[in-house]
Each structure stands twice: as C-alpha cells, then as structure tokens.
Amino acid sequence: MSAPVRDRSTKAVDAPRAPAAAGAGDREFHFTADDFEKIRQLIYKHAGISLSPAKQDMVYSRLARRLRACGERTFAGYLRRLDQDHDEWETFTNSLTTNLTSFFRESHHFDLLADKLRAMKGLSRPIKIWCAAASTGEEPYSLAMTACEAFNTLRPPVQILASDIDTQVLAQAEAGVFRADRVDRLDPERLRKYFLKGAGTQSGQVRIRPELQEIVRFRRINLLDTSYPIQGPLDFIFCRNVMIYFDKPTQYAVLKRFVPLLRKEGLMFAGHSESFLHASDLFRSLGRTVYERSDAGA
C-alpha cells in the first residue's frame, strides 16, 4: 500500500467520535458523524487504515464522487451497496488511499542496497526483493535501476515483486508511463539509460525501458491478509512509509508475517518516520530505518 500516505494514526473502532465538520451545510450529500464512524470502522477492518477525526472532509470529498458515480443519494445507501457489490469494495478502498512517492525517495536506502547487491555477485540463485508499497511504480523501478547499476547490466539476476492494495495505482505502475515532470530530478544519465521519451500524442511523457519492466512483477497484496502469496525466502523487503499509518498491533502482526519470508541475513527497509521498538523480538534496528531479523546470526 503505494510509498502510499494513508492516515492510520488511531484505531478506528476505539477512536473518539468525529465532530461535525465546518461547512457541512453546504455539502451536496448529508454526511453525519455516524456515517463517518461506519466508514472508519469498515476501512480499518478491510485495509488496516485508521482515519483520524481530522480526515472527515477528505473522506466526504473522496466518497461523494462514488455516490455520484453509483447514483446513490445518501451515504447510508452507499454503505448498503458495499454489502452487495464486491467490485465497489475495491473502489471504496482505492478512493480512501492517497499515494505519495518519487524516484529514489530516501536515497540512502538505495545506496546501501547497491552495496549489498554488489557484495552478492556470484550467487547461483536470483536475488529476491519485495516492494510492499509500490504505489505508481517509482519505488520498484528505482530498485530495478539500482540493481542494473550494481551489476552493470540491464538484465541483473534480481527479481522484484511490487505490490499495493490499490489496484488503480498498480495498473499505472505496470504500464510504466510517467509524466516528464515525474523524472525531472533524475540524473540525466539515468534518464537516457532507463527511459524512452514519448513523441507525438505521447509528448511530455516517458516510459520505463522494457528491460526494467521485465525485472518487476506487480501484484495486489493487502498487508492485512493472514498470509501473502509470496514465495520466499526474500533477500530484501522494502515496506516504507506505510506502517506508520497502522496502529501498533497491526504493525506487529504485519512484521510477524514478514519474518519467515525474509532470509536470516536479509534486510527490511522502513520509512524515515517509522520505528519498530515495540517489535524488537522480531526486528532489530541497524540505523537509518534499516532492520534485520532479531534472530539474525543465531
């Protein structure tokens, strides 16, 4: 879940009732505190997203679009629709997931990964990386570029699984097409080497080279699922800027599922604001939001 920005700062079922938002009388649809509370509980149960009371206006804005699209006149009617329409559940989740990402975000992680990959040259097996919050693709393709540079080839012995809960951003990521302004901070040599410039009707866009797309496989995975359709062991897990928006029990449950998937000598990379001191029996910090399994070396 893109690196996505999702507000999960408090557990939805335990959080205080949200006050009525200012300007509510000007809204197209009546939106009550009870409506908001039901939505908070549903998205927490379904995706682990804990929306703070301050997100009431955001929730209204996002879901009002769905009411119009579905022809519903009330939020109560829309919530009843969710009970009957499985496809709408997916759109409901997508609507409440905001994705913020960029190429080589928190660049020190990619520098460390490059060093580790170079040290792994000569292995007789592929190196496996899971990007657990792929968003629109900037992070997994940054991983692919890092692998290409570490092995000095467009076909490195690296397999990257990129996942997210949001199917819309996954589709964008798999297409590998970006607006030119999304890559304007990249080194010109990387632009030349890893991207194809659009022309004609695609002017102002760039596309990831096919060789990089072959390194990355995209799949929808909900981190709240009790098991993941992933074949380990993995050498690296990138799960950055996601779990800060989970409450502590949810974080612990997800981390516990990570442990058996990651090699003992493997590394997990977290976001710059994430800390897992409450899960020290599972992961041990190596500094700068890089973690190893607590049983590493045992």
Side-chain angles (χ1 to χ4, degrees):
M1 304 177 255
S2 42
V5 174
R6 302 175 174 93
D7 191 336
R8 308 178 176 104
S9 55
T10 55
K11 186 174 180 180
V13 294
D14 295 333
R17 185 68 57 85
D26 299 328
R27 287 173 171 167
E28 177 182 358
F29 303 101
H30 188 54
F31 186 49
T32 68
D34 283 341
D35 291 332
F36 181 58
E37 189 64 24
K38 289 175 184 176
I39 290 165
R40 291 176 65 176
Q41 293 183 26
L42 286 171
I43 198 64
Y44 179 83
K45 181 178 180 181
H46 185 67
I49 300 173
S50 291
L51 295 167
S52 72
K55 295 297 182 181
Q56 184 172 355
D57 286 342
M58 182 274 286
V59 168
Y60 174 86
S61 176
R62 300 282 181 81
L63 292 184
R65 302 170 194 167
R66 295 307 308 155
L67 266 68
R68 296 186 199 102
C70 296
E72 296 288 350
R73 302 184 65 180
T74 66
F75 272 84
Y78 177 73
L79 294 175
R80 286 193 295 271
R81 175 184 287 267
L82 288 179
D83 291 332
Q84 305 166 0
D85 188 342
H86 180 269
D87 291 339
E88 187 58 31
W89 261 112
E90 186 172 290
T91 307
F92 171 77
T93 302
N94 292 350
S95 296
L96 295 180
T97 303
T98 301
N99 296 274
L100 175 64
T101 185
S102 61
F103 286 99
F104 293 96
R105 186 181 185 191
E106 298 175 47
S107 61
H108 64 281
H109 283 166
F110 298 96
D111 294 338
L112 175 59
L113 176 65
D115 289 341
K116 294 293 184 180
L117 291 175
R118 283 190 286 266
M120 298 170 76
K121 287 182 178 179
L123 288 180
S124 59
R125 60 169 179 81
I127 298 166
K128 295 184 177 182
I129 304 174
W130 178 22
C131 174
S135 187
T136 47
E138 286 87 341
E139 183 170 296
Y141 289 128
S142 296
L143 293 171
M145 285 183 261
T146 300
C148 290
E149 291 166 1
F151 287 93
N152 196 29
T153 175
L154 288 175
R155 299 186 184 279
V158 174
Q159 299 173 356
I160 300 171
L161 171 64
S163 69
D164 203 283
I165 193 174
D166 188 331
T167 54
Q168 293 177 342
V169 297
L170 277 178
Q172 294 178 45
E174 191 164 16
V177 177
F178 300 90
R179 296 193 317 268
D181 62 356
R182 298 296 295 166
V183 298
D184 59 8
R185 294 186 180 182
L186 284 178
D187 180 89
E189 178 61 18
R190 280 177 169 161
L191 278 174
R192 182 196 65 78
K193 192 172 183 179
Y194 301 121
F195 293 86
L196 303 173
K197 190 175 182 180
T201 58
Q202 295 183 327
S203 179
Q205 295 181 320
V206 295
R207 180 187 293 275
I208 287 285
R209 290 185 65 94
E211 293 92 338
L212 266 72
Q213 289 184 293
E214 291 175 7
I215 301 171
V216 185
R217 178 169 55 94
F218 292 92
R219 185 165 191 172
R220 182 185 184 274
I221 296 177
N222 185 344
L223 293 177
L224 260 63
D225 291 343
T226 55
S227 63
Y228 307 136
I230 298 174
Q231 184 175 356
L234 302 167
D235 295 283
F236 306 100
I237 296 176
F238 273 68
C239 187
R240 308 190 308 163
N241 306 303
V242 177
M243 288 201 285
I244 190 174
Y245 305 107
F246 291 156
D247 60 19
K248 298 298 184 184
T250 303
Q251 287 182 6
Y252 189 90
V254 171
L255 291 169
K256 190 173 183 180
R257 290 190 281 272
F258 282 0
V259 170
L261 291 173
L262 186 65
R263 290 183 182 276
K264 274 196 175 184
E265 67 276 17
L267 296 178
M268 181 187 69
F269 295 80
H272 70 280
S273 298
E274 295 170 324
S275 174
F276 304 128
L277 293 175
H278 61 291
S280 59
D281 58 320
L282 302 176
F283 284 95
R284 178 169 54 229
S285 173
L286 298 177
R288 303 196 75 184
T289 54
V290 179
Y291 292 81
E292 66 178 357
R293 285 173 48 168
S294 291
D295 61 353

